[in-house]
Amino acid sequence: MKKRILIIGACGQIGTELTAALRAAYAPHKVIASDIIEGDEVMMNSGPFEVLDAMDYDAVQDVVIKHEITDVYLMAAMLSATSEKFPMRAWNLNMNSLFNVLNLAKDGKIDKIFWPSSIAVFGPTTPKENTPQRTVMEPSTVYGISKQTGERWCEYYHKKFGVDVRSLRYPGLVSYKTLPGGGTTDYAVDIYHKAVKHNKYICFLNAETTLPMMYMDDAIKATIGIMEAPESNIKIRNSYNLAGMSFHPEAIAESIRNLQPGFEISYDPDFRQAIADSWPKSIDDTEARNDWGWNHEVELDEMTKIMLKNLT
Ligand code: SER
């Protein structure tokens, strides 16, 4: 098989698990991981690794040529909360890294790109319940603006240059294997860590803040699923809505309490509350389900069981 994969941002929350899944699915030597710094032992010993700055076009091109890369998963990004603190750095990282891979594909140096978008492309004027694939999109965060812009460029490169770029609007992702960094949905991971350690948690969002969320295994399944789907099935070239479950902090607390009586939660919302308030509560992902057969598996109580068991 000719396919050779490069993961950029392989040491991040999604990249770590995506690399492991791709190395399990394909021959490990055909899955090249890369990040701005070296990864942990598992990452470094399970297949090839390149230290790579996603913003350095020449360096990305060198790695692509050296390893005869066909498919790139561009997972390097600055998330929503950190992006509010460093707007220009977020913009530069999130946009330049995308242009680098889009231009390599346009010039025929790679065949296929995966680029993650986010529920952050939606804003305060978007319908909040069952947010449709096509709707008002007026993102009010630095991160959301970069993802919305990136979506437009993906579609443009597909239409204008035939670039095979595929994308998902991830909801908040939860995993026991990796930690998120600098996102607004990070509470849904942190809460399990604190539950196991202290049986209590102070949440930076308020009790009723419902957001679209997903267990990481489902997100990885969606990512590899959309990349493996026949090209003719991919009808949306900006980014697909993708949904798993929707819940608020009090619902996770309740789900934890069912297994761990006495778990206490208190609320001390910070600047991330405004970000969360601008995002949808639930997502309509009918088109992903119809076009390339997406379905999710894990619901809240099941996720709680997995998280507590593995973190304990
Ligand atoms: N989980 C991300 C964040 O909170 C959203 O894409 O920033």
Side-chain angles (χ1 to χ4, degrees), residues 79-81 118-119 143 170-172 182-186 279:
L79 290 186
S80 60
S118 162
I119 52 166
Y143 177 67
Y170 288 127
T184 300
T185 55
D186 295 12
W279 290 351

mmCIF file with all atom_site columns, all heavy atoms in Angstrom, residues 79-81 118-119 143 170-172 182-186 279, ligand 1:
data_model
loop_
_atom_site.group_PDB
_atom_site.id
_atom_site.type_symbol
_atom_site.label_atom_id
_atom_site.label_alt_id
_atom_site.label_comp_id
_atom_site.label_asym_id
_atom_site.label_entity_id
_atom_site.label_seq_id
_atom_site.pdbx_PDB_ins_code
_atom_site.Cartn_x
_atom_site.Cartn_y
_atom_site.Cartn_z
_atom_site.occupancy
_atom_site.B_iso_or_equiv
_atom_site.pdbx_formal_charge
_atom_site.auth_seq_id
_atom_site.auth_comp_id
_atom_site.auth_asym_id
_atom_site.auth_atom_id
_atom_site.pdbx_PDB_model_num
ATOM   1   N N   . LEU A 1 79  ? -5.977  26.200 21.266 1.00 0.00 ? 79  LEU A N   1
ATOM   2   C CA  . LEU A 1 79  ? -7.408  26.071 21.590 1.00 0.00 ? 79  LEU A CA  1
ATOM   3   C C   . LEU A 1 79  ? -8.018  27.384 22.107 1.00 0.00 ? 79  LEU A C   1
ATOM   4   O O   . LEU A 1 79  ? -7.331  28.387 22.246 1.00 0.00 ? 79  LEU A O   1
ATOM   5   C CB  . LEU A 1 79  ? -7.625  24.942 22.591 1.00 0.00 ? 79  LEU A CB  1
ATOM   6   C CG  . LEU A 1 79  ? -7.400  23.516 22.057 1.00 0.00 ? 79  LEU A CG  1
ATOM   7   C CD1 . LEU A 1 79  ? -7.792  22.483 23.095 1.00 0.00 ? 79  LEU A CD1 1
ATOM   8   C CD2 . LEU A 1 79  ? -8.174  23.268 20.774 1.00 0.00 ? 79  LEU A CD2 1
ATOM   9   N N   . SER A 1 80  ? -9.304  27.312 22.426 1.00 0.00 ? 80  SER A N   1
ATOM   10  C CA  . SER A 1 80  ? -10.090 28.536 22.621 1.00 0.00 ? 80  SER A CA  1
ATOM   11  C C   . SER A 1 80  ? -9.634  29.443 23.760 1.00 0.00 ? 80  SER A C   1
ATOM   12  O O   . SER A 1 80  ? -9.514  30.658 23.587 1.00 0.00 ? 80  SER A O   1
ATOM   13  C CB  . SER A 1 80  ? -11.562 28.171 22.825 1.00 0.00 ? 80  SER A CB  1
ATOM   14  O OG  . SER A 1 80  ? -11.710 27.336 23.951 1.00 0.00 ? 80  SER A OG  1
ATOM   15  N N   . ALA A 1 81  ? -9.385  28.862 24.940 1.00 0.00 ? 81  ALA A N   1
ATOM   16  C CA  . ALA A 1 81  ? -9.074  29.707 26.099 1.00 0.00 ? 81  ALA A CA  1
ATOM   17  C C   . ALA A 1 81  ? -7.698  30.351 25.935 1.00 0.00 ? 81  ALA A C   1
ATOM   18  O O   . ALA A 1 81  ? -7.523  31.554 26.160 1.00 0.00 ? 81  ALA A O   1
ATOM   19  C CB  . ALA A 1 81  ? -9.149  28.888 27.382 1.00 0.00 ? 81  ALA A CB  1
ATOM   20  N N   . SER A 1 118 ? -14.186 22.984 14.615 1.00 0.00 ? 118 SER A N   1
ATOM   21  C CA  . SER A 1 118 ? -14.690 22.945 15.987 1.00 0.00 ? 118 SER A CA  1
ATOM   22  C C   . SER A 1 118 ? -16.091 23.550 16.063 1.00 0.00 ? 118 SER A C   1
ATOM   23  O O   . SER A 1 118 ? -16.473 24.372 15.209 1.00 0.00 ? 118 SER A O   1
ATOM   24  C CB  . SER A 1 118 ? -13.738 23.771 16.862 1.00 0.00 ? 118 SER A CB  1
ATOM   25  O OG  . SER A 1 118 ? -14.344 24.123 18.083 1.00 0.00 ? 118 SER A OG  1
ATOM   26  N N   . ILE A 1 119 ? -16.811 23.191 17.117 1.00 0.00 ? 119 ILE A N   1
ATOM   27  C CA  . ILE A 1 119 ? -18.084 23.856 17.413 1.00 0.00 ? 119 ILE A CA  1
ATOM   28  C C   . ILE A 1 119 ? -17.879 25.355 17.633 1.00 0.00 ? 119 ILE A C   1
ATOM   29  O O   . ILE A 1 119 ? -18.837 26.122 17.606 1.00 0.00 ? 119 ILE A O   1
ATOM   30  C CB  . ILE A 1 119 ? -18.754 23.269 18.675 1.00 0.00 ? 119 ILE A CB  1
ATOM   31  C CG1 . ILE A 1 119 ? -17.779 23.261 19.861 1.00 0.00 ? 119 ILE A CG1 1
ATOM   32  C CG2 . ILE A 1 119 ? -19.291 21.877 18.387 1.00 0.00 ? 119 ILE A CG2 1
ATOM   33  C CD1 . ILE A 1 119 ? -18.431 23.011 21.206 1.00 0.00 ? 119 ILE A CD1 1
ATOM   34  N N   . TYR A 1 143 ? -10.253 31.844 18.553 1.00 0.00 ? 143 TYR A N   1
ATOM   35  C CA  . TYR A 1 143 ? -10.175 30.461 18.073 1.00 0.00 ? 143 TYR A CA  1
ATOM   36  C C   . TYR A 1 143 ? -11.267 30.189 17.033 1.00 0.00 ? 143 TYR A C   1
ATOM   37  O O   . TYR A 1 143 ? -11.002 29.635 15.962 1.00 0.00 ? 143 TYR A O   1
ATOM   38  C CB  . TYR A 1 143 ? -10.338 29.535 19.275 1.00 0.00 ? 143 TYR A CB  1
ATOM   39  C CG  . TYR A 1 143 ? -10.348 28.058 18.992 1.00 0.00 ? 143 TYR A CG  1
ATOM   40  C CD1 . TYR A 1 143 ? -9.215  27.408 18.518 1.00 0.00 ? 143 TYR A CD1 1
ATOM   41  C CD2 . TYR A 1 143 ? -11.489 27.293 19.243 1.00 0.00 ? 143 TYR A CD2 1
ATOM   42  C CE1 . TYR A 1 143 ? -9.226  26.040 18.291 1.00 0.00 ? 143 TYR A CE1 1
ATOM   43  C CE2 . TYR A 1 143 ? -11.502 25.927 19.022 1.00 0.00 ? 143 TYR A CE2 1
ATOM   44  C CZ  . TYR A 1 143 ? -10.370 25.302 18.544 1.00 0.00 ? 143 TYR A CZ  1
ATOM   45  O OH  . TYR A 1 143 ? -10.384 23.956 18.330 1.00 0.00 ? 143 TYR A OH  1
ATOM   46  N N   . TYR A 1 170 ? -15.212 19.220 15.627 1.00 0.00 ? 170 TYR A N   1
ATOM   47  C CA  . TYR A 1 170 ? -15.215 18.449 16.872 1.00 0.00 ? 170 TYR A CA  1
ATOM   48  C C   . TYR A 1 170 ? -15.975 19.177 17.975 1.00 0.00 ? 170 TYR A C   1
ATOM   49  O O   . TYR A 1 170 ? -15.825 20.390 18.145 1.00 0.00 ? 170 TYR A O   1
ATOM   50  C CB  . TYR A 1 170 ? -13.789 18.271 17.398 1.00 0.00 ? 170 TYR A CB  1
ATOM   51  C CG  . TYR A 1 170 ? -12.888 17.331 16.650 1.00 0.00 ? 170 TYR A CG  1
ATOM   52  C CD1 . TYR A 1 170 ? -11.644 17.762 16.222 1.00 0.00 ? 170 TYR A CD1 1
ATOM   53  C CD2 . TYR A 1 170 ? -13.221 15.998 16.432 1.00 0.00 ? 170 TYR A CD2 1
ATOM   54  C CE1 . TYR A 1 170 ? -10.755 16.905 15.575 1.00 0.00 ? 170 TYR A CE1 1
ATOM   55  C CE2 . TYR A 1 170 ? -12.346 15.135 15.777 1.00 0.00 ? 170 TYR A CE2 1
ATOM   56  C CZ  . TYR A 1 170 ? -11.118 15.597 15.355 1.00 0.00 ? 170 TYR A CZ  1
ATOM   57  O OH  . TYR A 1 170 ? -10.243 14.758 14.722 1.00 0.00 ? 170 TYR A OH  1
ATOM   58  N N   . PRO A 1 171 ? -16.722 18.415 18.759 1.00 0.00 ? 171 PRO A N   1
ATOM   59  C CA  . PRO A 1 171 ? -17.217 18.954 20.028 1.00 0.00 ? 171 PRO A CA  1
ATOM   60  C C   . PRO A 1 171 ? -16.088 18.861 21.070 1.00 0.00 ? 171 PRO A C   1
ATOM   61  O O   . PRO A 1 171 ? -14.965 18.506 20.726 1.00 0.00 ? 171 PRO A O   1
ATOM   62  C CB  . PRO A 1 171 ? -18.366 18.003 20.375 1.00 0.00 ? 171 PRO A CB  1
ATOM   63  C CG  . PRO A 1 171 ? -18.154 16.774 19.560 1.00 0.00 ? 171 PRO A CG  1
ATOM   64  C CD  . PRO A 1 171 ? -17.132 17.046 18.492 1.00 0.00 ? 171 PRO A CD  1
ATOM   65  N N   . GLY A 1 172 ? -16.360 19.161 22.337 1.00 0.00 ? 172 GLY A N   1
ATOM   66  C CA  . GLY A 1 172 ? -15.365 18.982 23.386 1.00 0.00 ? 172 GLY A CA  1
ATOM   67  C C   . GLY A 1 172 ? -15.041 17.504 23.525 1.00 0.00 ? 172 GLY A C   1
ATOM   68  O O   . GLY A 1 172 ? -15.936 16.669 23.470 1.00 0.00 ? 172 GLY A O   1
ATOM   69  N N   . GLY A 1 182 ? -5.782  24.130 27.259 1.00 0.00 ? 182 GLY A N   1
ATOM   70  C CA  . GLY A 1 182 ? -6.213  25.477 26.941 1.00 0.00 ? 182 GLY A CA  1
ATOM   71  C C   . GLY A 1 182 ? -7.560  25.597 26.261 1.00 0.00 ? 182 GLY A C   1
ATOM   72  O O   . GLY A 1 182 ? -7.836  26.570 25.575 1.00 0.00 ? 182 GLY A O   1
ATOM   73  N N   . GLY A 1 183 ? -8.429  24.611 26.468 1.00 0.00 ? 183 GLY A N   1
ATOM   74  C CA  . GLY A 1 183 ? -9.765  24.690 25.872 1.00 0.00 ? 183 GLY A CA  1
ATOM   75  C C   . GLY A 1 183 ? -10.821 25.059 26.896 1.00 0.00 ? 183 GLY A C   1
ATOM   76  O O   . GLY A 1 183 ? -10.563 25.097 28.107 1.00 0.00 ? 183 GLY A O   1
ATOM   77  N N   . THR A 1 184 ? -12.029 25.316 26.401 1.00 0.00 ? 184 THR A N   1
ATOM   78  C CA  . THR A 1 184 ? -13.153 25.686 27.259 1.00 0.00 ? 184 THR A CA  1
ATOM   79  C C   . THR A 1 184 ? -13.877 24.443 27.771 1.00 0.00 ? 184 THR A C   1
ATOM   80  O O   . THR A 1 184 ? -14.526 24.468 28.812 1.00 0.00 ? 184 THR A O   1
ATOM   81  C CB  . THR A 1 184 ? -14.110 26.594 26.455 1.00 0.00 ? 184 THR A CB  1
ATOM   82  O OG1 . THR A 1 184 ? -13.353 27.746 26.065 1.00 0.00 ? 184 THR A OG1 1
ATOM   83  C CG2 . THR A 1 184 ? -15.314 27.027 27.255 1.00 0.00 ? 184 THR A CG2 1
ATOM   84  N N   . THR A 1 185 ? -13.744 23.351 27.029 1.00 0.00 ? 185 THR A N   1
ATOM   85  C CA  . THR A 1 185 ? -14.393 22.107 27.435 1.00 0.00 ? 185 THR A CA  1
ATOM   86  C C   . THR A 1 185 ? -13.483 21.235 28.315 1.00 0.00 ? 185 THR A C   1
ATOM   87  O O   . THR A 1 185 ? -13.854 20.120 28.671 1.00 0.00 ? 185 THR A O   1
ATOM   88  C CB  . THR A 1 185 ? -14.825 21.302 26.186 1.00 0.00 ? 185 THR A CB  1
ATOM   89  O OG1 . THR A 1 185 ? -13.680 21.111 25.350 1.00 0.00 ? 185 THR A OG1 1
ATOM   90  C CG2 . THR A 1 185 ? -15.891 22.042 25.401 1.00 0.00 ? 185 THR A CG2 1
ATOM   91  N N   . ASP A 1 186 ? -12.318 21.749 28.675 1.00 0.00 ? 186 ASP A N   1
ATOM   92  C CA  . ASP A 1 186 ? -11.342 20.972 29.472 1.00 0.00 ? 186 ASP A CA  1
ATOM   93  C C   . ASP A 1 186 ? -11.906 20.524 30.824 1.00 0.00 ? 186 ASP A C   1
ATOM   94  O O   . ASP A 1 186 ? -11.436 19.543 31.396 1.00 0.00 ? 186 ASP A O   1
ATOM   95  C CB  . ASP A 1 186 ? -10.083 21.804 29.771 1.00 0.00 ? 186 ASP A CB  1
ATOM   96  C CG  . ASP A 1 186 ? -9.292  22.163 28.526 1.00 0.00 ? 186 ASP A CG  1
ATOM   97  O OD1 . ASP A 1 186 ? -9.816  21.966 27.417 1.00 0.00 ? 186 ASP A OD1 1
ATOM   98  O OD2 . ASP A 1 186 ? -8.162  22.656 28.670 1.00 0.00 ? 186 ASP A OD2 1
ATOM   99  N N   . TRP A 1 279 ? -21.351 29.229 22.360 1.00 0.00 ? 279 TRP A N   1
ATOM   100 C CA  . TRP A 1 279 ? -21.345 27.999 21.550 1.00 0.00 ? 279 TRP A CA  1
ATOM   101 C C   . TRP A 1 279 ? -22.694 27.278 21.620 1.00 0.00 ? 279 TRP A C   1
ATOM   102 O O   . TRP A 1 279 ? -23.468 27.459 22.572 1.00 0.00 ? 279 TRP A O   1
ATOM   103 C CB  . TRP A 1 279 ? -20.240 27.057 22.040 1.00 0.00 ? 279 TRP A CB  1
ATOM   104 C CG  . TRP A 1 279 ? -18.854 27.534 21.740 1.00 0.00 ? 279 TRP A CG  1
ATOM   105 C CD1 . TRP A 1 279 ? -18.502 28.592 20.941 1.00 0.00 ? 279 TRP A CD1 1
ATOM   106 C CD2 . TRP A 1 279 ? -17.619 26.986 22.233 1.00 0.00 ? 279 TRP A CD2 1
ATOM   107 N NE1 . TRP A 1 279 ? -17.136 28.724 20.908 1.00 0.00 ? 279 TRP A NE1 1
ATOM   108 C CE2 . TRP A 1 279 ? -16.568 27.757 21.685 1.00 0.00 ? 279 TRP A CE2 1
ATOM   109 C CE3 . TRP A 1 279 ? -17.300 25.916 23.074 1.00 0.00 ? 279 TRP A CE3 1
ATOM   110 C CZ2 . TRP A 1 279 ? -15.220 27.486 21.956 1.00 0.00 ? 279 TRP A CZ2 1
ATOM   111 C CZ3 . TRP A 1 279 ? -15.958 25.652 23.335 1.00 0.00 ? 279 TRP A CZ3 1
ATOM   112 C CH2 . TRP A 1 279 ? -14.936 26.426 22.778 1.00 0.00 ? 279 TRP A CH2 1
HETATM 113 N N1  . SER B 2 .   ? -12.564 21.787 22.881 1.00 0.00 ? 1   SER B N1  1
HETATM 114 C C1  . SER B 2 .   ? -12.217 22.988 22.207 1.00 0.00 ? 1   SER B C1  1
HETATM 115 C C2  . SER B 2 .   ? -12.025 24.104 23.152 1.00 0.00 ? 1   SER B C2  1
HETATM 116 O O1  . SER B 2 .   ? -12.605 24.066 24.213 1.00 0.00 ? 1   SER B O1  1
HETATM 117 C C3  . SER B 2 .   ? -13.282 23.347 21.220 1.00 0.00 ? 1   SER B C3  1
HETATM 118 O O2  . SER B 2 .   ? -12.910 22.940 19.950 1.00 0.00 ? 1   SER B O2  1
HETATM 119 O O3  . SER B 2 .   ? -11.344 25.021 22.830 1.00 0.00 ? 1   SER B O3  1
#
